[in-house]
Amino acid sequence: MTYFSPTDLIINPDGSSYHLNIRPEQLCDTIFMVGDPERVEKVSCHFDRIDFKIHKREFVSHFGELAGKPIGVISSGIGADNVEIVMNELDALANIDFETREEKSQKRSLHLIRIGTSGSIQEDIPVDSVLISEAAIGFDNLAQFYHFSSDKSLLQNDLDQFCQQIGYPLPIYGAKASSQLVHRFSQDAYFRDAFLGTTLTAPGFYAPQGRTVRMESILPDFLKDCSVTLVGKSKITNIEMETSAYYAFSGVLGHEMISLNAILANRITHQFSINPEKQISQLIEKAIALFS
């Protein structure tokens, strides 16, 4: 079996993962993922019981029980770079023996549900709606360091053509959601009315999402160009900062992942939710209800 050295897989003295500070025996199979550490309690308050509360840096984790089954919630912080840490360490906790540092022969598949916020870049996807990301395109630099080829990846030819049409000079990657989880959520009465879309994951909040404050962007028409340019046969529906990394890593590592987006802004009509916390809270409640 593959052995992972102490410099490749750093394990804390208490036997926990380096950044998340989670021990293998604390890990459960169903975990909600949020960006904001303060949002963790807004999810775990719906658990029947909380057994562990862990906090290290921006990574806050609560593990407990819901309807007789183990359940968890973890904050990743903002951005695909943080997701890279979270996904590598979650997979290590699930599929590497922390005592021998060897890969386990029998693999464990986690079910991960991102509950996040996003902005629509299509006029007909309104503020305060919910969007399920069927696929996501990553504009971060993770593609330069990993091979994300899997049956859940988007066609590279479609991605290359998209880049040419919008004048984007750097490599991008694309990956799909878990079809199993998309089907499960789509059958629920609340999520049946949700939009299904292709999400753009940006490496920043301002210029990478078409915003200009004092520094000029090299792509002044980026948002408009993305909204009207197809990736294969699909429109880009919304923009956020984590989903593509979650989908790429889960696809390659064998985990089931879905991203649920509370649409707080419409970047085309320039509207913003008048009560964003209500929208987020409702999305959390409805997502939790599927597992209770």
Side-chain angles (χ1 to χ4, degrees):
M1 299 302 292
T2 304
Y3 173 82
F4 301 93
S5 78
T7 56
D8 288 324
L9 177 64
I10 303 172
I11 300 174
N12 296 322
D14 65 352
S16 64
S17 57
Y18 184 54
H19 295 91
L20 298 183
N21 221 34
I22 298 169
R23 298 193 306 274
E25 67 271 17
Q26 294 173 316
L27 187 70
C28 60
D29 288 340
T30 300
I31 306 172
F32 291 93
M33 311 302 300
V34 296
D36 184 354
E38 293 185 1
R39 201 170 290 155
V40 170
E41 285 194 5
K42 295 178 182 179
V43 175
S44 66
C45 71
H46 297 282
F47 296 176
D48 296 331
R49 188 182 74 233
I50 300 173
D51 298 320
F52 305 105
K53 289 185 176 183
I54 305 163
H55 186 179
K56 187 176 181 182
R57 304 186 188 188
E58 62 266 58
F59 307 110
V60 177
S61 306
H62 290 182
F63 293 100
E65 185 177 285
L66 179 65
K69 297 179 181 178
I71 195 127
V73 55
I74 299 174
S75 65
S76 67
I78 297 175
D81 52 345
N82 279 5
V83 171
E84 190 257 5
I85 292 172
V86 171
M87 289 300 293
N88 271 297
E89 294 194 13
L90 284 180
D91 183 72
L93 286 162
N95 293 310
I96 296 174
D97 187 317
F98 271 33
E99 293 186 3
T100 65
R101 293 182 167 275
E102 293 182 343
E103 187 176 359
K104 296 178 181 177
S105 57
Q106 188 167 350
K107 298 298 184 292
R108 181 178 175 186
S109 179
L110 305 176
H111 286 67
L112 307 172
I113 303 96
R114 173 187 176 269
I115 302 175
T117 61
S118 184
S120 163
I121 63 170
Q122 297 296 331
E123 191 169 351
D124 60 350
I125 300 177
V127 166
D128 293 333
S129 61
V130 172
L131 186 140
I132 298 173
S133 301
E134 287 190 295
I137 298 171
F139 280 67
D140 56 81
N141 65 354
L142 286 177
Q144 299 175 38
F145 294 90
Y146 289 95
H147 294 291
F148 285 133
S149 56
S150 74
D151 60 351
K152 291 185 179 179
S153 295
L154 298 185
L155 294 176
Q156 191 61 47
N157 286 344
D158 290 341
L159 297 174
D160 292 343
Q161 186 176 14
F162 175 76
C163 283
Q164 290 173 10
Q165 289 179 297
I166 67 170
Y168 189 75
L170 302 175
I172 64 173
Y173 64 96
K176 301 176 185 176
S178 160
S179 57
Q180 176 190 131
L181 288 178
V182 170
H183 176 75
R184 178 172 183 176
F185 276 85
S186 297
Q187 297 304 302
D188 178 74
Y190 176 77
F191 290 98
R192 203 176 296 143
D193 294 329
F195 291 90
L196 297 174
T198 298
T199 297
L200 189 157
T201 294
F205 186 77
Y206 289 95
Q209 294 192 38
R211 293 181 174 94
T212 300
V213 182
R214 288 205 327 121
M215 292 186 292
E216 291 185 11
S217 170
I218 63 168
L219 298 169
D221 297 319
F222 178 68
L223 206 63
K224 178 183 176 183
D225 290 344
C226 288
S227 70
V228 299
T229 305
L230 299 180
V231 181
K233 296 181 180 179
S234 301
K235 287 182 178 180
I236 305 293
T237 51
N238 62 306
I239 187 167
E240 50 76 80
M241 295 181 66
E242 289 94 30
T243 298
S244 64
Y246 274 127
Y247 284 5
F249 281 100
S250 61
V252 173
L253 295 171
H255 303 296
E256 304 294 331
M257 176 79 208
I258 191 169
S259 177
L260 310 175
N261 302 272
I263 301 296
L264 300 187
N266 187 300
R267 300 297 308 285
I268 306 303
T269 64
H270 303 289
Q271 293 177 300
F272 193 84
S273 176
I274 61 172
N275 195 344
E277 286 304 316
K278 178 181 178 181
Q279 168 74 351
I280 295 165
S281 295
Q282 185 177 45
L283 180 57
I284 289 171
E285 290 172 10
K286 298 299 182 179
I288 288 281
L290 262 72
F291 295 86
S292 60

